Amino acid sequence: MRLLYSALSPFARKVRIVAHENGLTGAITLETASPFTDESLRALNPLSQVPTLILDDGEILFDSAVICDHLDALGGAGLIPASGQDRRRALTLQALADGMGSAAVAVVRERMRPADDQRPELLERQLRAITAGLDLLETQAFTVDRFTIAEIAVAAQLAYFDARKVLDWRVGRPALEAWFEAVARRDSLVVTSVQLA
Ligand SMILES: N[C@@H](CCC(=O)N[C@@H](CS)C(=O)NCC(=O)O)C(=O)O
């Protein structure tokens, strides 16, 4: 399998963590792609987004939730609960984290524009989505003993907020901060982490 990714993408990080947890890293070749500048990605994924996974028979999978679902079924780690409330919780929290990630990517790109061209209303709306999401996550009582696609998605996004200095999410969220410091020591998070110079 070939995974088109970018090192800082929180969505690609989620996929790489799932691959590691499922013992599949040896079966996946990582190839960097630049979704905003490389139009060849669009021939594979009309959205021109990473991550995009190309299976050995040429089938193409996106987005990150679909790729994670496939890898977890292949490897059998059971990161996506099979049914019931556990499944609904995991998928809903994954959707929340992914939505916060999309908002964060929008904030980062907006801040790259010249200061005079930045749209305060866009930044405010995206940051409100992120802070409201963080407030909900603070109430979730995450523990290191429970590790599903929800925790993976949340951890990947929190790390992205730090890497891109999106906002200081720790202020007023001691439970989330303590959980993140602990879960960040897990092997799959350590080997997939990227440090900005
Ligand atoms: N919903 C998608 C979001 C992926 C995404 O937004 N990736 C970013 C990089 S972090 C990207 O490729 N952006 C390019 C674009 O949207 O044009 C997923 O979960 O995979």
Side-chain angles (χ1 to χ4, degrees):
M1 292 178 276
R2 295 163 54 207
L3 180 67
L4 306 186
Y5 84 116
S6 65
L8 272 184
S9 167
F11 306 99
R13 173 113 186 261
K14 182 177 62 154
V15 167
R16 289 186 294 135
I17 293 169
V18 167
H20 190 279
E21 292 284 341
N22 275 284
L24 290 171
T25 48
I28 298 175
T29 305
L30 295 178
E31 294 179 20
T32 54
S34 305
F36 291 103
T37 54
D38 181 2
E39 273 301 307
S40 65
L41 178 58
R42 203 176 296 282
L44 301 167
N45 176 348
L47 305 177
S48 190
Q49 289 186 334
V50 291
T52 295
L53 184 71
I54 306 163
L55 302 185
D56 292 340
D57 66 0
E59 185 180 351
I60 297 167
L61 301 187
F62 54 87
D63 59 4
S64 62
V66 176
I67 297 172
C68 289
D69 182 58
H70 176 68
L71 296 181
D72 202 43
L74 207 57
L79 300 170
I80 305 172
S83 62
Q85 203 274 334
D86 283 351
R87 179 176 172 81
R88 294 193 298 275
R89 168 196 176 273
L91 294 182
T92 300
L93 288 175
Q94 176 184 215
L96 174 64
D98 287 358
M100 293 164 69
S102 293
V105 170
V107 167
V108 169
R109 291 199 63 79
E110 189 69 12
R111 286 178 178 160
M112 287 175 177
R113 292 159 62 100
D116 288 351
D117 290 346
Q118 291 180 20
R119 294 157 290 182
E121 67 285 356
L122 182 149
L123 285 169
E124 190 193 329
R125 180 165 175 80
Q126 303 300 338
L127 286 166
R128 278 184 66 188
I130 296 169
T131 52
L134 286 165
D135 290 342
L136 179 59
L137 294 177
E138 175 68 9
T139 68
Q140 293 301 301
F142 290 118
T143 67
V144 283
D145 299 334
R146 188 184 212 184
F147 194 70
T148 72
I149 194 67
E151 286 75 17
I152 293 170
V154 170
Q157 297 303 341
L158 295 179
Y160 180 77
F161 297 159
D162 286 342
R164 288 297 203 181
K165 297 183 171 43
V166 175
L167 79 171
D168 191 354
W169 59 268
R170 290 174 175 78
V171 175
R173 302 188 186 92
L176 197 57
E177 177 179 14
W179 168 76
F180 180 70
E181 299 311 322
V183 81
R185 290 195 282 271
R186 197 176 169 105
D187 274 358
S188 59
L189 273 83
V190 171
V191 301
T192 57
S193 74
V194 178
Q195 305 298 329
L196 283 181

